[in-house]
Amino acid sequence: MPMAGSGPDAGRPDPDALLRTAAQEGRGRLKIFLGAAPGVGKTYEMLSEGAARKRDGVDVVIGVVETHGRAETEALIRGHEVVDRRDMPHEGRRLSEMDLDAILTRAPRLALVDELAHSNAPGSRHPKRYQDVEELLAAGIDVYSTVNIQHVESLNDVVASFTRVRVRETVPDRILELAEIEVVDIPPDELIDRLKAGKVYLPAEATRALDHFFSKSNLSALRELALRRAAQAVDARMLDDVRALGLGGTWAGGDRIVVAISELPGCDTLVRAAKRVADGLRGPWTAVFIETPRAAHFTDDQHARIARTMTLATQLGGAVATVPAENVVAGIQSVLRDLRATQLVLGKSHRSRWFELRHGSIVDRLVRDTPDVTVHVLPMPQAVATRQRARARPGQWGTRTGYAITTAMVGGVTAIASALFQILDLGNVALLYLLPVMAAASLFGLRTGLYAGIASSLAYNFFFLPPVGTLSVNNPENIVSIFVLLGIAVATSQLTARVRAQADLAATSARTNAILAGFLRRIAGVGDRDVAAQMICDDVGRLLDVQVVLLARTQGGDLAILAASDPAYRLDTMDHAAAGWAFDTGSPAGRGSGTLTASEWLFQPMKAGERVLAVLGVASDRAGSPVRPDQLPLLGSLIDQSALVLERLRLQVEMRDVDVVRTRDRLRAALLSSVSHDLRTPLTAVIAAAAQLHHGATPDLIGTIESEAQRLNRFVANLLDMARVEAGALKLRIEATDLSDAVTGAAHDARRALEGHAVRLDVPPDLPLVRADPQLLHHCLLNLLDNAGRYGEPGTDIVIEGRNHFGELRLTVLDHGPGLPPGREDEVFETFKRLEGSDRAIGGTGLGLAIVKAFAEAMGMTVEASNRPDGNGAAFVLVFPSDLIVRDLPTESVS
């Protein structure tokens, strides 16, 4: 057997580790200065190392540093470039936060960001500072940051249990797993002295802290947690690097324990022993069940026993896994290699000498073939082993059908050999009998193959070896032939049975992968959460033969059923309590778990990162856990894939909400801009003209009031038209319209906006009528003319051309202005978009052209923007397709 770390795949890099390594390419590196408590010097150490990097020529800036009034920390800041913070208004106060955009624009090589667990002020791009750091890392910027051990999410409850203080600002463990960690540590007595000297808090706060959080026992416990968490992070990073490089060996920088469980009673003692070993060594541990082909013949009681043992391991804080393998030894060695385990706990059943001679000892083989692993062997109860040994497994000795078919195959080979005996020698006849042996072993298993070997030997002896018709043999050479045939039959049966077992494992793995691929393919393209939830329930229930229910939080905060494989299912009070526990804690609850086992359902959380999205409940009539142990990996994979789909749908909803908010903000900004310019300017002119009326009205004053009032009216009309477009409230009244009349009317109504420009109409009177809404077409032309007057150089002509061009009508408005930036012509039709083309201050909200596009498309027309061929201005074209051109003069309006 292969040794741990030296198997066939031991030198092959782990694909998952390689993918994780490749994912870090182009990203910045994160280094966290981890402390047991405030005041140990994390910020000081971060600034000192940042200064050292700067002296080495690295571009370093301070994103944010909290000195808390410590003079020695403030002194270190003076040598660094500091990015100014951003002020955030909040409830009448001004809060200063790290300016993420400024750092991204500055693009340093290294940014110093203090207090990783900090919560940003409302209105910031990210609610947490560690999310700001993730964006910096994604931009390729290295980050140094600080955090205290009590802010680590997984240790939050542990710290609160002995300090009686629960911090609200936490950092997900995944952030620490991606970072290089440096522990900043000082002894508790020295930290207490610093606290008394006022180097951590003000004197009044220091006295209160000494009586509560900063007791010596608390600081010692926090210090141990920090050192242990750093050791775990270092061990995880070391294992990831080892796997990525494909290096062999256990790499026992830290102890890792594996306990092998089976279907035998008494395996719970192995799990408890592994827990004690793990506690003594302070290392992670995993309970593993090796699923061999014999597991297919387990009874319901045996499956339930395995499930209870795995549940116990989960309750005691261990990981669990089910690993398919050809045999127990190969499976355990595979697990030891993958986990780089240093300790193995397993049980030894009481077996007879004859049994061990025939089958060997698993314990002895593991001790002999895994020299790099310490093996702890615990005896299993003898009475239990005896009862288990006396009970044969279903199908252990083959089936009647298999023996009958094997007998028929031996008989058929005998008949064929008898017919060909005259042209075959005895050696070739013996070879024919290998065919039923291989077929029986492949189809029906090892023991049926052995039966085929014995039957073939007897048939060969009785029918073909002299004296024929007896089982006696006269020639000693024929005796050797019989034993050789029997030996080959046994060896062939064993090899064929082993190949069959491997094929069964491969088929099981392929079937599982096909199930997962089909499941994901069905739900991946769903765009509605309710539909996806129902598909998840239906597919999981069908694949695992269980009842399924999916629960999620409503907007009111209540946990409600989102979907179920049977709509008639109802959950009682205990079931709701178990589901709520699973959702709130992110841990399994209910039947077969360690919490609220009185529930008939087993509830599994569906998590994406640190967020619990929903809870999946399963129930069945099986004893123990509703799901068999061999189905647990499949259930876990189905839950993980379902969680990814639900997370995608949640993010889609959030993105739609974000787009709505952005549109609302853009509208608000545009309205403010309009109020400040487009409303104030004409109002100022009207007020000034009204003041002059006291001295007597003149035609100029009256004209000013009239033009500015029309300007105000046109602006308000644009706002109302845009609101109608966005609300989908446009009502069309399509009529046959004369373009000459439409252009003339629009030019007359826009004369004030076109003041200072000569308007030239070039619309042939023989152009056919078009189907359009006259009022909407009038608005389109007014906005195009207003835009031309706004951007055209004073004293230049504005031309309106109408042409019949290859079966479509094109109405073009040309100005003599700065034109449009090349490549950005289509942007002018975006809402609130203004492309300034000259140095002249030009007003407007950017609504006019957006309204033209919306109205034109509502009428079935298109609008185009480009520069004039001579490059002396812009050209805007209304295109009437052929289906809008009236070929025959209508007698009534078309609606």
Side-chain angles (χ1 to χ4, degrees):
M1 289 293 173
M3 296 183 181
S6 60
D9 296 331
R12 183 174 65 90
D14 183 4
D16 293 333
L18 286 175
L19 288 175
R20 286 191 292 271
T21 301
Q24 298 302 313
E25 293 295 329
R27 289 177 57 88
R29 295 189 305 155
L30 173 63
K31 182 174 183 178
I32 294 177
F33 294 85
L34 178 66
V40 297
K42 303 180 302 299
T43 304
Y44 186 91
E45 185 66 23
M46 178 184 71
L47 291 172
S48 299
E49 190 157 335
R53 294 289 303 277
K54 185 175 182 180
R55 287 193 296 270
D56 293 337
V58 178
D59 183 15
V60 182
V61 302
I62 291 180
V64 61
V65 165
E66 304 293 347
T67 64
H68 299 289
R70 299 165 189 158
E72 62 271 21
T73 305
E74 292 178 348
L76 287 176
I77 293 179
R78 298 190 188 105
H80 289 285
E81 176 186 347
V82 180
V83 177
D84 293 335
R85 301 192 189 188
R86 184 182 73 257
D87 288 338
M88 300 287 295
H90 177 62
E91 297 180 354
R93 296 180 300 159
R94 305 293 296 182
L95 303 178
S96 61
E97 294 290 353
M98 182 179 74
D99 194 338
L100 176 61
D101 290 325
I103 299 176
L104 291 172
T105 302
R106 171 65 175 75
R109 186 67 189 88
L110 172 63
L112 309 182
V113 181
D114 204 8
E115 296 188 0
L116 187 63
H118 172 76
S119 295
N120 292 328
S124 301
R125 180 150 78 238
H126 301 299
K128 295 289 187 178
R129 183 168 289 169
Y130 73 80
Q131 295 172 314
D132 294 338
V133 168
E134 287 183 305
E135 188 167 344
L136 293 176
L137 296 174
I141 300 173
D142 293 345
V143 176
Y144 285 177
S145 190
T146 64
V147 72
N148 287 327
I149 192 64
Q150 66 264 30
H151 294 287
V152 178
E153 178 65 40
S154 63
L155 299 176
N156 187 258
D157 293 338
V158 178
V159 173
S161 67
F162 61 82
T163 63
R164 301 295 187 271
V165 176
R166 180 181 292 275
V167 296
R168 300 300 178 188
E169 296 178 326
T170 58
V171 174
D173 288 64
R174 61 180 176 81
I175 302 297
L176 274 72
E177 292 168 0
L178 297 175
E180 176 187 350
I181 295 180
E182 179 175 326
V183 179
V184 182
D185 181 45
I186 63 175
D189 290 335
E190 185 176 338
L191 180 57
I192 291 174
D193 291 340
R194 285 175 51 83
L195 189 66
K196 291 178 179 179
K199 296 182 178 180
V200 180
Y201 296 127
L202 296 175
E205 296 178 348
T207 302
R208 186 167 57 253
L210 283 170
D211 295 335
H212 296 87
F213 189 85
F214 281 81
S215 66
K216 187 172 182 179
S217 58
N218 284 353
L219 293 178
S220 299
L222 290 170
R223 188 185 187 198
E224 181 180 359
L225 283 176
L227 294 172
R228 188 188 308 172
R229 186 64 183 82
Q232 291 174 355
V234 171
D235 187 62
R237 291 291 297 273
M238 180 268 294
L239 286 181
D240 217 35
D241 293 340
V242 167
R243 288 168 179 156
L245 296 174
L247 302 178
T250 57
W251 294 83
D255 283 293
R256 293 171 288 276
I257 299 93
V258 169
V259 55
I261 64 175
S262 69
E263 79 285 1
L264 297 176
C267 281
D268 53 343
T269 60
L270 299 178
V271 171
R272 295 188 180 93
K275 169 63 174 174
R276 293 192 296 271
V277 172
D279 287 345
L281 298 174
R282 300 190 182 279
W285 64 287
T286 304
V288 176
F289 170 69
I290 305 301
E291 184 183 2
T292 61
R294 57 190 290 270
H297 306 297
F298 283 174
T299 63
D300 290 340
D301 289 342
Q302 290 171 324
H303 281 298
R305 192 176 298 121
I306 296 171
R308 287 194 297 269
T309 306
M310 287 190 163
T311 300
L312 175 63
T314 303
Q315 295 171 354
L316 295 179
V320 296
T322 299
V323 178
E326 179 186 352
N327 57 68
V328 174
V329 174
I332 292 177
Q333 289 181 326
S334 173
V335 172
L336 295 176
R337 285 195 303 269
D338 293 341
L339 298 181
R340 309 286 172 154
T342 60
Q343 309 275 337
L344 172 64
V345 179
L346 72 163
K348 181 173 176 60
S349 301
H350 291 268
R351 305 291 191 183
S352 66
R353 295 291 184 184
W354 172 242
F355 183 91
E356 291 192 358
L357 284 174
R358 287 185 298 141
H359 301 284
S361 170
I362 292 176
V363 173
D364 292 343
R365 292 165 64 186
L366 286 172
V367 171
R368 181 179 65 249
D369 296 335
T370 55
D372 296 334
V373 178
T374 301
V375 181
H376 303 263
V377 181
L378 279 71
M380 301 295 288
Q382 183 173 4
V384 170
T386 302
R387 288 196 304 270
Q388 184 70 20
R389 189 168 60 246
R391 185 169 57 249
R393 298 190 307 274
Q396 181 180 9
W397 297 99
T399 62
R400 294 181 179 178
T401 302
Y403 287 118
I405 294 176
T406 300
T407 303
M409 288 191 295
V410 173
V413 169
T414 301
I416 294 173
S418 298
L420 300 176
F421 185 68
Q422 300 300 326
I423 60 175
L424 296 176
D425 57 22
L426 286 176
N428 291 331
V429 171
L431 292 177
L432 289 177
Y433 279 104
L434 292 179
L435 298 176
V437 174
M438 296 179 63
S442 176
L443 295 174
F444 307 113
L446 176 61
R447 287 175 174 79
T448 307
L450 294 176
Y451 165 77
I454 296 173
S456 298
S457 299
L458 293 176
Y460 178 62
N461 182 10
F462 187 84
F463 290 103
F464 299 103
L465 293 182
V468 177
T470 67
L471 294 177
S472 61
V473 181
N474 291 335
N475 190 343
E477 294 181 358
N478 293 333
I479 296 178
V480 174
S481 300
I482 293 175
F483 280 104
V484 169
L485 176 61
L486 185 59
I488 293 176
V490 171
T492 303
S493 298
Q494 291 178 331
L495 291 175
T496 307
R498 181 176 299 178
V499 170
R500 181 192 178 198
Q502 292 175 341
D504 291 341
L505 289 175
T508 301
S509 177
R511 184 167 58 251
T512 301
N513 293 335
I515 290 173
L516 293 175
F519 174 76
L520 184 59
R521 184 172 58 252
R522 283 190 296 274
I523 66 174
V526 178
D528 183 82
R529 188 183 73 154
D530 293 338
V531 175
Q534 189 60 53
M535 292 180 65
I536 290 169
C537 291
D538 293 341
D539 286 357
V540 173
R542 175 176 53 83
L543 295 173
L544 302 181
D545 189 23
V546 291
Q547 302 169 1
V548 183
V549 64
L550 187 65
L551 299 95
R553 292 285 188 197
T554 62
Q555 292 184 350
D558 298 329
L559 198 62
I561 296 178
L562 189 61
S565 55
D566 186 345
Y569 293 152
R570 293 293 181 267
L571 303 180
D572 58 24
T573 303
M574 180 59 68
D575 299 331
H576 276 288
W581 172 271
F583 193 97
D584 294 335
T585 64
S587 302
R591 178 182 166 196
S593 70
T595 306
L596 300 174
T597 56
S599 173
E600 291 297 320
W601 294 77
L602 170 62
F603 293 98
Q604 296 275 1
M606 304 176 68
K607 297 192 291 186
E610 301 297 323
R611 179 194 295 266
V612 178
L613 304 174
V615 173
L616 186 78
V618 293
S620 70
D621 298 330
R622 302 186 185 97
S625 175
V627 181
R628 297 199 315 268
D630 59 308
Q631 293 178 328
L632 287 175
L634 177 59
L635 175 62
S637 298
L638 293 174
I639 289 176
D640 291 342
Q641 292 186 354
S642 301
L644 291 176
V645 172
L646 294 180
E647 176 71 359
R648 174 180 60 81
L649 296 176
R650 184 187 68 83
L651 292 176
Q652 287 179 351
V653 173
E654 287 190 356
M655 286 303 300
R656 286 196 294 268
D657 294 342
V658 168
D659 289 340
V660 171
V661 171
R662 287 176 177 171
T663 302
R664 187 183 300 120
D665 290 342
R666 192 166 66 247
L667 177 60
R668 184 182 298 112
L671 289 175
L672 291 175
S673 173
S674 299
V675 169
S676 64
H677 183 275
D678 290 87
L679 287 179
R680 181 180 298 171
T681 300
L683 283 175
T684 301
V686 170
I687 292 172
Q692 294 294 325
L693 289 177
H694 293 290
H695 305 288
T698 66
D700 290 340
L701 291 177
I702 296 174
T704 298
I705 293 174
E706 182 181 8
S707 63
E708 296 302 330
Q710 290 177 349
R711 181 177 174 185
L712 277 175
N713 182 66
R714 187 162 56 250
F715 171 69
V716 173
N718 278 345
L719 289 178
L720 293 176
D721 289 341
M722 200 67 234
R724 291 165 59 198
V725 170
E726 293 184 348
L730 282 179
K731 295 182 179 179
L732 301 180
R733 187 174 181 272
I734 304 299
E735 299 178 355
T737 304
D738 189 332
L739 288 181
S740 298
D741 292 342
V743 168
T744 302
H748 177 270
D749 290 346
R751 62 187 182 281
R752 291 290 182 181
L754 302 177
E755 190 172 355
H757 298 277
V759 179
R760 182 163 59 87
L761 304 182
D762 185 10
V763 181
D766 59 348
L767 286 179
L769 303 181
V770 295
R771 292 185 176 89
D773 184 311
Q775 188 172 1
L776 294 187
L777 179 59
H778 186 70
H779 277 294
C780 291
L781 292 173
L782 279 179
N783 280 297
L784 289 177
L785 291 172
D786 181 75
N787 181 79
R790 192 183 297 270
Y791 285 91
E793 295 292 340
T796 59
D797 293 346
I798 293 176
V799 181
I800 306 176
E801 291 182 349
R803 296 291 185 268
N804 197 334
H805 183 73
F806 295 109
E808 62 183 17
L809 289 181
R810 298 174 65 88
L811 198 61
T812 307
V813 178
L814 302 101
D815 62 48
H816 286 79
L820 301 173
R824 301 179 61 189
E825 291 84 356
D826 292 338
E827 295 183 27
V828 297
F829 296 111
E830 296 179 11
T831 308
F832 308 121
K833 191 77 171 184
R834 292 188 298 175
L835 302 179
E836 304 294 351
S838 70
D839 296 333
R840 296 183 297 113
I842 300 173
T845 60
L847 285 174
L849 295 179
I851 291 172
V852 172
K853 180 178 176 64
F855 284 0
E857 291 179 348
M859 292 183 288
M861 301 152 45
T862 58
V863 59
E864 301 173 357
S866 62
N867 286 314
R868 294 176 57 150
D870 57 8
N872 293 325
F876 293 88
V877 185
L878 288 174
V879 181
F880 298 84
S882 59
D883 58 334
L884 295 183
I885 300 175
V886 179
R887 302 301 177 183
D888 299 321
L889 186 64
T891 58
E892 58 182 6
S893 60
V894 181
S895 60

